[in-house]
Amino acid sequence: MSRLTADDPVPGDAASCQAVSDVIVPRARDLGGFEVRRVLPHGRRQMVGPFIFFDQMGPVQFLAGQGMDVRPHPHIGLATVTYLFEGELWHRDSLGSSLAIHPGDVNLMTAGRGIVHSEREAPEARGRQRRLFGIQAWVALPKDREDDAPAFAHHGIDELPRITGEGKRVRLVMGEAYGERSPVSFAHPTLYAEAVLAPGAVLPFDAEYDERALYVVSGSIDIAGTTFAAGRLLVLHPGDRVSILALSNVRLMLMGGEPMDGPRHIWWNFVASSKDRIEAAKADWKAGRFGSVPGDEAEFIPLPVS
C-alpha cells in the first residue's frame, strides 16, 4: 500500500527526463486462427534483464467449438511465465502438473534441463463463446542453473501483492517493488508487475535495476512529454527515474532485472548459453527422449525443419 508516490521527473516536462532509449513495435504472428503480438526477441533488443521472449496473446473472441490448442512441446534453459487478463488456459506438463490458470494468477514453469508441456482449454469451455487475453513471457535461466531439474509453481491471485492508491493498482508478479515482495521465486533478480491506471494517474517506475522496460497493453501514456499508444515496449535508460502519466484507462506490464550473465542462443522453444546445448535438445526431442505429458500423450509438435 506504500510508496506509490510520484516525485520528479515531472510528467509532460520533456526537459526533466529523457527516459526512453528504444521503442519496440511487436510483430503479429498467426498461430492458426489465433494471433499473437511478439515483442521480444527483437532485432534491436534480445533481452531486458532475463526476459528473452514476450508475447501478447489476443485479445481474441472464440466462438463455441473453437479454442486454443497448443500441443505438447519441449523447453530448455528458461522459465515460462503465464499471466492472463481474461479467459482460462489449462496447463499440463511432463512433471504431472495439471491445472487451470485464471486472470490474476501466475504459472511459473522452470524448464531447466528439459520439460514438455501443453496449453489448451478445458472441454467445457469450448461449448460457449469466450475471450482470451494475456501475456506469456520467457525468462532465461542463469548459466549455473540451466541444467537444474524442471519445476512448476502456480500462485493464485490472492497470493500476489496488490498495491493501490490514487487511481493506481499494481499486482506484483515477480520480484520487489513499491515496498512489497512477490512470493514467486526465480533464480535471477527480476521485476515483473501488472499496473492498471485511471486517467490522470501517475505511476513512478524507479531505477532499481539497470535494465527496465514497460509494455503498454491498452490505453495511452505520457512520459516526459511524449505520448505512447498501446502495443509498444518502451526500453528505459539505466538510472533514470520515470513517471508514467495515464492519458486514458491504461494497463501496463512493468519488467526488468539484473543483466543476464552473457548472451543467449534461442531456437524454437530452446534457450541456452551454448549452441551445443541447443543441438543436443533438438536431437533429444527428435528421438523422443524428453518424456511425455500425462493425460496429453496423443499429440505433439514435431521439431521444425531448420
Side-chain angles (χ1 to χ4, degrees), residues 112-143:
R113 59 178 175 260
I115 199 169
V116 184
H117 77 135
S118 63
E119 292 166 301
R120 303 188 187 261
E121 290 184 280
E124 56 270 22
R126 293 178 176 273
R128 63 181 187 275
Q129 292 190 26
R130 65 217 178 276
R131 283 169 59 87
L132 182 66
F133 189 16
I135 301 289
Q136 184 167 91
W138 298 355
V139 282
L141 293 171
K143 289 179 184 178

PDB file of all heavy atoms in Angstrom, residues 112-143:
ATOM      1  N   GLY A 112      14.636 -25.788 -16.963  1.00  0.00           N
ATOM      2  CA  GLY A 112      15.919 -26.366 -16.595  1.00  0.00           C
ATOM      3  C   GLY A 112      16.471 -27.198 -17.738  1.00  0.00           C
ATOM      4  O   GLY A 112      16.523 -26.766 -18.884  1.00  0.00           O
ATOM      5  N   ARG A 113      16.857 -28.444 -17.434  1.00  0.00           N
ATOM      6  CA  ARG A 113      17.462 -29.296 -18.455  1.00  0.00           C
ATOM      7  C   ARG A 113      16.446 -29.874 -19.433  1.00  0.00           C
ATOM      8  O   ARG A 113      16.826 -30.450 -20.452  1.00  0.00           O
ATOM      9  CB  ARG A 113      18.252 -30.416 -17.800  1.00  0.00           C
ATOM     10  CG  ARG A 113      17.445 -31.318 -16.873  1.00  0.00           C
ATOM     11  CD  ARG A 113      18.326 -32.426 -16.312  1.00  0.00           C
ATOM     12  NE  ARG A 113      17.634 -33.234 -15.333  1.00  0.00           N
ATOM     13  CZ  ARG A 113      17.775 -33.091 -14.015  1.00  0.00           C
ATOM     14  NH1 ARG A 113      18.563 -32.145 -13.542  1.00  0.00           N
ATOM     15  NH2 ARG A 113      17.118 -33.884 -13.174  1.00  0.00           N
ATOM     16  N   GLY A 114      15.134 -29.722 -19.130  1.00  0.00           N
ATOM     17  CA  GLY A 114      14.154 -30.157 -20.120  1.00  0.00           C
ATOM     18  C   GLY A 114      12.798 -30.481 -19.536  1.00  0.00           C
ATOM     19  O   GLY A 114      12.693 -31.181 -18.522  1.00  0.00           O
ATOM     20  N   ILE A 115      11.749 -29.951 -20.150  1.00  0.00           N
ATOM     21  CA  ILE A 115      10.372 -30.211 -19.747  1.00  0.00           C
ATOM     22  C   ILE A 115       9.505 -30.175 -20.993  1.00  0.00           C
ATOM     23  O   ILE A 115       9.880 -29.579 -22.016  1.00  0.00           O
ATOM     24  CB  ILE A 115       9.897 -29.171 -18.704  1.00  0.00           C
ATOM     25  CG1 ILE A 115       8.667 -29.669 -17.934  1.00  0.00           C
ATOM     26  CG2 ILE A 115       9.629 -27.817 -19.358  1.00  0.00           C
ATOM     27  CD1 ILE A 115       8.314 -28.811 -16.718  1.00  0.00           C
ATOM     28  N   VAL A 116       8.350 -30.814 -20.920  1.00  0.00           N
ATOM     29  CA  VAL A 116       7.360 -30.798 -22.002  1.00  0.00           C
ATOM     30  C   VAL A 116       6.048 -30.318 -21.405  1.00  0.00           C
ATOM     31  O   VAL A 116       5.690 -30.716 -20.288  1.00  0.00           O
ATOM     32  CB  VAL A 116       7.167 -32.205 -22.623  1.00  0.00           C
ATOM     33  CG1 VAL A 116       6.199 -32.152 -23.802  1.00  0.00           C
ATOM     34  CG2 VAL A 116       8.506 -32.789 -23.049  1.00  0.00           C
ATOM     35  N   HIS A 117       5.323 -29.454 -22.142  1.00  0.00           N
ATOM     36  CA  HIS A 117       4.018 -29.023 -21.640  1.00  0.00           C
ATOM     37  C   HIS A 117       3.073 -28.734 -22.792  1.00  0.00           C
ATOM     38  O   HIS A 117       3.481 -28.618 -23.949  1.00  0.00           O
ATOM     39  CB  HIS A 117       4.149 -27.801 -20.715  1.00  0.00           C
ATOM     40  CG  HIS A 117       4.368 -26.490 -21.404  1.00  0.00           C
ATOM     41  ND1 HIS A 117       3.690 -25.337 -21.057  1.00  0.00           N
ATOM     42  CD2 HIS A 117       5.199 -26.136 -22.417  1.00  0.00           C
ATOM     43  CE1 HIS A 117       4.089 -24.332 -21.813  1.00  0.00           C
ATOM     44  NE2 HIS A 117       5.005 -24.784 -22.644  1.00  0.00           N
ATOM     45  N   SER A 118       1.799 -28.653 -22.446  1.00  0.00           N
ATOM     46  CA  SER A 118       0.761 -28.264 -23.403  1.00  0.00           C
ATOM     47  C   SER A 118      -0.095 -27.182 -22.763  1.00  0.00           C
ATOM     48  O   SER A 118      -0.184 -27.085 -21.539  1.00  0.00           O
ATOM     49  CB  SER A 118      -0.105 -29.462 -23.809  1.00  0.00           C
ATOM     50  OG  SER A 118      -0.815 -29.983 -22.692  1.00  0.00           O
ATOM     51  N   GLU A 119      -0.718 -26.369 -23.614  1.00  0.00           N
ATOM     52  CA  GLU A 119      -1.610 -25.300 -23.167  1.00  0.00           C
ATOM     53  C   GLU A 119      -2.881 -25.376 -24.003  1.00  0.00           C
ATOM     54  O   GLU A 119      -2.862 -25.094 -25.196  1.00  0.00           O
ATOM     55  CB  GLU A 119      -0.936 -23.938 -23.326  1.00  0.00           C
ATOM     56  CG  GLU A 119       0.243 -23.748 -22.388  1.00  0.00           C
ATOM     57  CD  GLU A 119       1.095 -22.564 -22.772  1.00  0.00           C
ATOM     58  OE1 GLU A 119       1.615 -22.552 -23.903  1.00  0.00           O
ATOM     59  OE2 GLU A 119       1.230 -21.657 -21.944  1.00  0.00           O
ATOM     60  N   ARG A 120      -3.942 -25.779 -23.368  1.00  0.00           N
ATOM     61  CA  ARG A 120      -5.208 -25.973 -24.065  1.00  0.00           C
ATOM     62  C   ARG A 120      -6.311 -25.287 -23.265  1.00  0.00           C
ATOM     63  O   ARG A 120      -6.042 -24.532 -22.332  1.00  0.00           O
ATOM     64  CB  ARG A 120      -5.503 -27.459 -24.236  1.00  0.00           C
ATOM     65  CG  ARG A 120      -4.405 -28.256 -24.978  1.00  0.00           C
ATOM     66  CD  ARG A 120      -4.888 -29.651 -25.260  1.00  0.00           C
ATOM     67  NE  ARG A 120      -3.890 -30.550 -25.810  1.00  0.00           N
ATOM     68  CZ  ARG A 120      -3.765 -30.848 -27.103  1.00  0.00           C
ATOM     69  NH1 ARG A 120      -4.558 -30.266 -27.996  1.00  0.00           N
ATOM     70  NH2 ARG A 120      -2.862 -31.724 -27.513  1.00  0.00           N
ATOM     71  N   GLU A 121      -7.547 -25.562 -23.627  1.00  0.00           N
ATOM     72  CA  GLU A 121      -8.697 -25.089 -22.865  1.00  0.00           C
ATOM     73  C   GLU A 121      -9.496 -26.294 -22.401  1.00  0.00           C
ATOM     74  O   GLU A 121      -9.512 -27.341 -23.059  1.00  0.00           O
ATOM     75  CB  GLU A 121      -9.562 -24.183 -23.722  1.00  0.00           C
ATOM     76  CG  GLU A 121      -8.903 -22.836 -24.029  1.00  0.00           C
ATOM     77  CD  GLU A 121      -9.838 -21.939 -24.791  1.00  0.00           C
ATOM     78  OE1 GLU A 121      -9.952 -22.116 -26.012  1.00  0.00           O
ATOM     79  OE2 GLU A 121     -10.474 -21.085 -24.164  1.00  0.00           O
ATOM     80  N   ALA A 122     -10.158 -26.161 -21.273  1.00  0.00           N
ATOM     81  CA  ALA A 122     -10.977 -27.249 -20.751  1.00  0.00           C
ATOM     82  C   ALA A 122     -12.124 -27.530 -21.726  1.00  0.00           C
ATOM     83  O   ALA A 122     -12.682 -26.598 -22.322  1.00  0.00           O
ATOM     84  CB  ALA A 122     -11.526 -26.882 -19.381  1.00  0.00           C
ATOM     85  N   PRO A 123     -12.492 -28.804 -21.906  1.00  0.00           N
ATOM     86  CA  PRO A 123     -13.562 -29.135 -22.856  1.00  0.00           C
ATOM     87  C   PRO A 123     -14.862 -28.395 -22.599  1.00  0.00           C
ATOM     88  O   PRO A 123     -15.540 -27.969 -23.536  1.00  0.00           O
ATOM     89  CB  PRO A 123     -13.735 -30.648 -22.667  1.00  0.00           C
ATOM     90  CG  PRO A 123     -12.425 -31.120 -22.150  1.00  0.00           C
ATOM     91  CD  PRO A 123     -11.891 -30.006 -21.304  1.00  0.00           C
ATOM     92  N   GLU A 124     -15.211 -28.175 -21.323  1.00  0.00           N
ATOM     93  CA  GLU A 124     -16.480 -27.493 -21.028  1.00  0.00           C
ATOM     94  C   GLU A 124     -16.462 -26.035 -21.474  1.00  0.00           C
ATOM     95  O   GLU A 124     -17.515 -25.443 -21.737  1.00  0.00           O
ATOM     96  CB  GLU A 124     -16.803 -27.577 -19.539  1.00  0.00           C
ATOM     97  CG  GLU A 124     -15.743 -27.043 -18.606  1.00  0.00           C
ATOM     98  CD  GLU A 124     -14.731 -28.091 -18.172  1.00  0.00           C
ATOM     99  OE1 GLU A 124     -14.579 -29.114 -18.874  1.00  0.00           O
ATOM    100  OE2 GLU A 124     -14.083 -27.873 -17.131  1.00  0.00           O
ATOM    101  N   ALA A 125     -15.257 -25.428 -21.578  1.00  0.00           N
ATOM    102  CA  ALA A 125     -15.179 -24.032 -22.013  1.00  0.00           C
ATOM    103  C   ALA A 125     -15.503 -23.888 -23.493  1.00  0.00           C
ATOM    104  O   ALA A 125     -15.977 -22.839 -23.931  1.00  0.00           O
ATOM    105  CB  ALA A 125     -13.785 -23.475 -21.735  1.00  0.00           C
ATOM    106  N   ARG A 126     -15.266 -24.937 -24.263  1.00  0.00           N
ATOM    107  CA  ARG A 126     -15.463 -24.853 -25.714  1.00  0.00           C
ATOM    108  C   ARG A 126     -16.925 -24.781 -26.127  1.00  0.00           C
ATOM    109  O   ARG A 126     -17.234 -24.471 -27.274  1.00  0.00           O
ATOM    110  CB  ARG A 126     -14.809 -26.054 -26.390  1.00  0.00           C
ATOM    111  CG  ARG A 126     -13.301 -26.030 -26.273  1.00  0.00           C
ATOM    112  CD  ARG A 126     -12.680 -27.267 -26.921  1.00  0.00           C
ATOM    113  NE  ARG A 126     -11.234 -27.163 -26.869  1.00  0.00           N
ATOM    114  CZ  ARG A 126     -10.496 -26.552 -27.784  1.00  0.00           C
ATOM    115  NH1 ARG A 126     -11.077 -25.973 -28.816  1.00  0.00           N
ATOM    116  NH2 ARG A 126      -9.189 -26.498 -27.662  1.00  0.00           N
ATOM    117  N   GLY A 127     -17.825 -25.048 -25.216  1.00  0.00           N
ATOM    118  CA  GLY A 127     -19.245 -25.024 -25.557  1.00  0.00           C
ATOM    119  C   GLY A 127     -19.858 -23.637 -25.550  1.00  0.00           C
ATOM    120  O   GLY A 127     -21.061 -23.504 -25.795  1.00  0.00           O
ATOM    121  N   ARG A 128     -19.048 -22.606 -25.278  1.00  0.00           N
ATOM    122  CA  ARG A 128     -19.597 -21.243 -25.208  1.00  0.00           C
ATOM    123  C   ARG A 128     -18.617 -20.256 -25.834  1.00  0.00           C
ATOM    124  O   ARG A 128     -17.434 -20.545 -25.990  1.00  0.00           O
ATOM    125  CB  ARG A 128     -19.848 -20.849 -23.758  1.00  0.00           C
ATOM    126  CG  ARG A 128     -18.592 -20.802 -22.897  1.00  0.00           C
ATOM    127  CD  ARG A 128     -18.892 -20.429 -21.460  1.00  0.00           C
ATOM    128  NE  ARG A 128     -17.681 -20.225 -20.683  1.00  0.00           N
ATOM    129  CZ  ARG A 128     -16.990 -21.168 -20.081  1.00  0.00           C
ATOM    130  NH1 ARG A 128     -17.398 -22.423 -20.163  1.00  0.00           N
ATOM    131  NH2 ARG A 128     -15.903 -20.874 -19.389  1.00  0.00           N
ATOM    132  N   GLN A 129     -19.131 -19.084 -26.190  1.00  0.00           N
ATOM    133  CA  GLN A 129     -18.263 -18.017 -26.646  1.00  0.00           C
ATOM    134  C   GLN A 129     -17.463 -17.485 -25.458  1.00  0.00           C
ATOM    135  O   GLN A 129     -17.961 -17.412 -24.339  1.00  0.00           O
ATOM    136  CB  GLN A 129     -19.083 -16.883 -27.258  1.00  0.00           C
ATOM    137  CG  GLN A 129     -19.771 -17.242 -28.560  1.00  0.00           C
ATOM    138  CD  GLN A 129     -20.365 -16.016 -29.230  1.00  0.00           C
ATOM    139  OE1 GLN A 129     -19.905 -14.892 -29.031  1.00  0.00           O
ATOM    140  NE2 GLN A 129     -21.388 -16.231 -30.043  1.00  0.00           N
ATOM    141  N   ARG A 130     -16.228 -17.088 -25.711  1.00  0.00           N
ATOM    142  CA  ARG A 130     -15.387 -16.603 -24.622  1.00  0.00           C
ATOM    143  C   ARG A 130     -14.199 -15.840 -25.198  1.00  0.00           C
ATOM    144  O   ARG A 130     -13.890 -15.966 -26.391  1.00  0.00           O
ATOM    145  CB  ARG A 130     -14.895 -17.770 -23.765  1.00  0.00           C
ATOM    146  CG  ARG A 130     -13.976 -18.702 -24.498  1.00  0.00           C
ATOM    147  CD  ARG A 130     -14.175 -20.158 -24.112  1.00  0.00           C
ATOM    148  NE  ARG A 130     -13.290 -21.006 -24.896  1.00  0.00           N
ATOM    149  CZ  ARG A 130     -13.597 -21.424 -26.111  1.00  0.00           C
ATOM    150  NH1 ARG A 130     -14.736 -21.093 -26.700  1.00  0.00           N
ATOM    151  NH2 ARG A 130     -12.755 -22.191 -26.769  1.00  0.00           N
ATOM    152  N   ARG A 131     -13.548 -15.079 -24.346  1.00  0.00           N
ATOM    153  CA  ARG A 131     -12.377 -14.297 -24.741  1.00  0.00           C
ATOM    154  C   ARG A 131     -11.127 -14.840 -24.052  1.00  0.00           C
ATOM    155  O   ARG A 131     -11.201 -15.406 -22.957  1.00  0.00           O
ATOM    156  CB  ARG A 131     -12.571 -12.817 -24.366  1.00  0.00           C
ATOM    157  CG  ARG A 131     -13.485 -12.072 -25.298  1.00  0.00           C
ATOM    158  CD  ARG A 131     -13.859 -10.714 -24.730  1.00  0.00           C
ATOM    159  NE  ARG A 131     -12.717  -9.851 -24.469  1.00  0.00           N
ATOM    160  CZ  ARG A 131     -12.154  -9.035 -25.365  1.00  0.00           C
ATOM    161  NH1 ARG A 131     -12.621  -9.006 -26.604  1.00  0.00           N
ATOM    162  NH2 ARG A 131     -11.137  -8.250 -25.032  1.00  0.00           N
ATOM    163  N   LEU A 132     -10.008 -14.634 -24.718  1.00  0.00           N
ATOM    164  CA  LEU A 132      -8.711 -14.967 -24.131  1.00  0.00           C
ATOM    165  C   LEU A 132      -7.772 -13.792 -24.374  1.00  0.00           C
ATOM    166  O   LEU A 132      -7.687 -13.264 -25.485  1.00  0.00           O
ATOM    167  CB  LEU A 132      -8.134 -16.232 -24.760  1.00  0.00           C
ATOM    168  CG  LEU A 132      -6.793 -16.712 -24.180  1.00  0.00           C
ATOM    169  CD1 LEU A 132      -6.964 -17.162 -22.734  1.00  0.00           C
ATOM    170  CD2 LEU A 132      -6.208 -17.847 -25.015  1.00  0.00           C
ATOM    171  N   PHE A 133      -7.087 -13.382 -23.316  1.00  0.00           N
ATOM    172  CA  PHE A 133      -6.219 -12.211 -23.386  1.00  0.00           C
ATOM    173  C   PHE A 133      -5.178 -12.361 -22.294  1.00  0.00           C
ATOM    174  O   PHE A 133      -5.516 -12.581 -21.126  1.00  0.00           O
ATOM    175  CB  PHE A 133      -7.053 -10.955 -23.167  1.00  0.00           C
ATOM    176  CG  PHE A 133      -6.350  -9.648 -23.419  1.00  0.00           C
ATOM    177  CD1 PHE A 133      -5.159  -9.571 -24.126  1.00  0.00           C
ATOM    178  CD2 PHE A 133      -6.894  -8.464 -22.926  1.00  0.00           C
ATOM    179  CE1 PHE A 133      -4.536  -8.348 -24.360  1.00  0.00           C
ATOM    180  CE2 PHE A 133      -6.282  -7.234 -23.144  1.00  0.00           C
ATOM    181  CZ  PHE A 133      -5.108  -7.179 -23.864  1.00  0.00           C
ATOM    182  N   GLY A 134      -3.917 -12.273 -22.665  1.00  0.00           N
ATOM    183  CA  GLY A 134      -2.878 -12.391 -21.644  1.00  0.00           C
ATOM    184  C   GLY A 134      -1.488 -12.248 -22.226  1.00  0.00           C
ATOM    185  O   GLY A 134      -1.295 -11.904 -23.397  1.00  0.00           O
ATOM    186  N   ILE A 135      -0.511 -12.512 -21.384  1.00  0.00           N
ATOM    187  CA  ILE A 135       0.906 -12.399 -21.737  1.00  0.00           C
ATOM    188  C   ILE A 135       1.607 -13.702 -21.386  1.00  0.00           C
ATOM    189  O   ILE A 135       1.414 -14.242 -20.295  1.00  0.00           O
ATOM    190  CB  ILE A 135       1.602 -11.261 -20.957  1.00  0.00           C
ATOM    191  CG1 ILE A 135       0.929  -9.907 -21.224  1.00  0.00           C
ATOM    192  CG2 ILE A 135       3.088 -11.218 -21.292  1.00  0.00           C
ATOM    193  CD1 ILE A 135       1.148  -9.328 -22.595  1.00  0.00           C
ATOM    194  N   GLN A 136       2.412 -14.194 -22.338  1.00  0.00           N
ATOM    195  CA  GLN A 136       3.352 -15.248 -21.968  1.00  0.00           C
ATOM    196  C   GLN A 136       4.763 -14.718 -22.178  1.00  0.00           C
ATOM    197  O   GLN A 136       5.102 -14.230 -23.263  1.00  0.00           O
ATOM    198  CB  GLN A 136       3.177 -16.540 -22.732  1.00  0.00           C
ATOM    199  CG  GLN A 136       4.148 -17.605 -22.193  1.00  0.00           C
ATOM    200  CD  GLN A 136       3.864 -19.008 -22.658  1.00  0.00           C
ATOM    201  OE1 GLN A 136       4.393 -19.428 -23.662  1.00  0.00           O
ATOM    202  NE2 GLN A 136       3.027 -19.710 -21.923  1.00  0.00           N
ATOM    203  N   ALA A 137       5.560 -14.793 -21.133  1.00  0.00           N
ATOM    204  CA  ALA A 137       6.956 -14.362 -21.180  1.00  0.00           C
ATOM    205  C   ALA A 137       7.854 -15.551 -20.876  1.00  0.00           C
ATOM    206  O   ALA A 137       7.452 -16.493 -20.185  1.00  0.00           O
ATOM    207  CB  ALA A 137       7.197 -13.238 -20.178  1.00  0.00           C
ATOM    208  N   TRP A 138       9.068 -15.499 -21.411  1.00  0.00           N
ATOM    209  CA  TRP A 138      10.111 -16.439 -21.035  1.00  0.00           C
ATOM    210  C   TRP A 138      11.216 -15.646 -20.362  1.00  0.00           C
ATOM    211  O   TRP A 138      11.601 -14.564 -20.824  1.00  0.00           O
ATOM    212  CB  TRP A 138      10.722 -17.142 -22.242  1.00  0.00           C
ATOM    213  CG  TRP A 138       9.795 -17.987 -23.054  1.00  0.00           C
ATOM    214  CD1 TRP A 138       8.492 -18.288 -22.810  1.00  0.00           C
ATOM    215  CD2 TRP A 138      10.136 -18.632 -24.289  1.00  0.00           C
ATOM    216  NE1 TRP A 138       7.990 -19.087 -23.807  1.00  0.00           N
ATOM    217  CE2 TRP A 138       8.968 -19.311 -24.727  1.00  0.00           C
ATOM    218  CE3 TRP A 138      11.293 -18.699 -25.070  1.00  0.00           C
ATOM    219  CZ2 TRP A 138       8.932 -20.048 -25.909  1.00  0.00           C
ATOM    220  CZ3 TRP A 138      11.269 -19.429 -26.242  1.00  0.00           C
ATOM    221  CH2 TRP A 138      10.106 -20.105 -26.658  1.00  0.00           C
ATOM    222  N   VAL A 139      11.734 -16.181 -19.268  1.00  0.00           N
ATOM    223  CA  VAL A 139      12.898 -15.597 -18.604  1.00  0.00           C
ATOM    224  C   VAL A 139      14.035 -16.614 -18.657  1.00  0.00           C
ATOM    225  O   VAL A 139      13.859 -17.790 -18.334  1.00  0.00           O
ATOM    226  CB  VAL A 139      12.578 -15.182 -17.152  1.00  0.00           C
ATOM    227  CG1 VAL A 139      11.803 -13.880 -17.134  1.00  0.00           C
ATOM    228  CG2 VAL A 139      11.782 -16.249 -16.413  1.00  0.00           C
ATOM    229  N   ALA A 140      15.190 -16.152 -19.119  1.00  0.00           N
ATOM    230  CA  ALA A 140      16.346 -17.040 -19.260  1.00  0.00           C
ATOM    231  C   ALA A 140      16.903 -17.400 -17.890  1.00  0.00           C
ATOM    232  O   ALA A 140      16.924 -16.572 -16.971  1.00  0.00           O
ATOM    233  CB  ALA A 140      17.415 -16.369 -20.108  1.00  0.00           C
ATOM    234  N   LEU A 141      17.359 -18.627 -17.770  1.00  0.00           N
ATOM    235  CA  LEU A 141      17.994 -19.078 -16.529  1.00  0.00           C
ATOM    236  C   LEU A 141      19.476 -18.711 -16.525  1.00  0.00           C
ATOM    237  O   LEU A 141      20.127 -18.719 -17.578  1.00  0.00           O
ATOM    238  CB  LEU A 141      17.852 -20.590 -16.386  1.00  0.00           C
ATOM    239  CG  LEU A 141      16.431 -21.112 -16.169  1.00  0.00           C
ATOM    240  CD1 LEU A 141      16.413 -22.625 -16.266  1.00  0.00           C
ATOM    241  CD2 LEU A 141      15.883 -20.669 -14.819  1.00  0.00           C
ATOM    242  N   PRO A 142      20.042 -18.378 -15.354  1.00  0.00           N
ATOM    243  CA  PRO A 142      21.493 -18.160 -15.278  1.00  0.00           C
ATOM    244  C   PRO A 142      22.245 -19.402 -15.736  1.00  0.00           C
ATOM    245  O   PRO A 142      21.734 -20.526 -15.673  1.00  0.00           O
ATOM    246  CB  PRO A 142      21.728 -17.881 -13.786  1.00  0.00           C
ATOM    247  CG  PRO A 142      20.395 -17.496 -13.240  1.00  0.00           C
ATOM    248  CD  PRO A 142      19.375 -18.229 -14.060  1.00  0.00           C
ATOM    249  N   LYS A 143      23.480 -19.201 -16.194  1.00  0.00           N
ATOM    250  CA  LYS A 143      24.266 -20.325 -16.725  1.00  0.00           C
ATOM    251  C   LYS A 143      24.373 -21.466 -15.739  1.00  0.00           C
ATOM    252  O   LYS A 143      24.298 -22.643 -16.128  1.00  0.00           O
ATOM    253  CB  LYS A 143      25.667 -19.834 -17.102  1.00  0.00           C
ATOM    254  CG  LYS A 143      25.711 -18.945 -18.326  1.00  0.00           C
ATOM    255  CD  LYS A 143      27.145 -18.496 -18.601  1.00  0.00           C
ATOM    256  CE  LYS A 143      27.199 -17.527 -19.774  1.00  0.00           C
ATOM    257  NZ  LYS A 143      28.580 -17.038 -20.018  1.00  0.00           N
TER     258      LYS A 143
END
